[in-house]
């Protein structure tokens, strides 16, 4: 899952990003509404965590632009306002969910994960293919009854391949969904991570390379 955080309180934004990355999410951060619109126009996000009182372009205007564009990104609006009318106004703008500050980080993660599930086609709680069972909620992978311990990026990469249900996933798509914008698009990080993942999954190999196209789990 890829998340964009638009929050002008830099310490809060960076803290949220660090916590979400620990949850195996790919996270980008901006500090004003204009930068948020720029990122949304370039990248495919699952969830936008949007501070309502952004500078340059107000959060309300960012939310309106997202709705008018027809983008599939889900919007979680953050605000210090606690009144019911304020929350209702935010939802009427097109936000999918609303969270008041201060908030518990665990609740923020749960809401982002719930919105992320809604931003893509429904998937079973557990993904199973080629003898592999992947449980996103527990961050667990089992192959043929053997527990496989994976690093966060290895887990995210495997999850994207399994969600593809046998179709080919390009290296560019994997880079977009599992890593954040600071990753060099010309890096070999996908190939290196795949090599480590294949080694941990063991034999027989299950991840197939389609030369010049991408990867799949047939």
């Amino acid at each position: 899952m890829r998340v964009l955080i638009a929050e002008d309180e830099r310490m809060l934004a960076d803290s949220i990003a660090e916590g979400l990355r620990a949850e195996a999410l790919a996270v980008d951060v901006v500090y004003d509404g204009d930068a948020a619109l720029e990122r949304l126009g370039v990248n495919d996000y699952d969830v936008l965590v949007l501070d309502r009182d952004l500078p340059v372009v107000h959060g309300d205007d960012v939310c309106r632009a997202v709705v008018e564009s027809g983008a599939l990104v889900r919007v979680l609006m953050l605000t210090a306002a606690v009144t019911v009318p304020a929350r209702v106004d935010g939802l009427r703008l097109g936000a999918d969910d609303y969270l008041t500050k201060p908030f518990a980080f665990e609740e923020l993660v749960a809401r982002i994960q719930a919105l992320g599930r809604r931003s893509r086609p429904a998937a079973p709680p557990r993904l199973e293919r080629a003898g592999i069972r992947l449980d996103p909620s527990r961050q667990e992978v089992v192959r043929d009854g053997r527990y496989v311990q994976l690093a966060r990026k290895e887990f995210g990469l495997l999850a994207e391949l399994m969600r593809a249900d046998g179709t080919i996933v390009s290296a560019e798509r994997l880079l977009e969904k599992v890593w954040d914008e600071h990753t060099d698009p010309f890096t070999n990080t996908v190939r290196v991570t795949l090599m480590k993942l294949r080694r941990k999954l063991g034999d027989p190999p299950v991840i197939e390379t389609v030369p010049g196209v991408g990867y799949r789990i047939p």
Side-chain angles (χ1 to χ4, degrees), residues 143-144 146 198-206:
R143 181 179 186 190
D144 297 328
R146 174 179 63 89
R198 282 169 164 150
R199 185 169 62 246
K200 290 182 179 181
L201 290 174
D203 293 323
V206 292

Side-chain angles (χ1 to χ4, degrees), residues 6 8 21 70 86 158 161 178:
D8 67 323
R21 288 172 184 142
L158 179 61
L161 289 173
V178 182

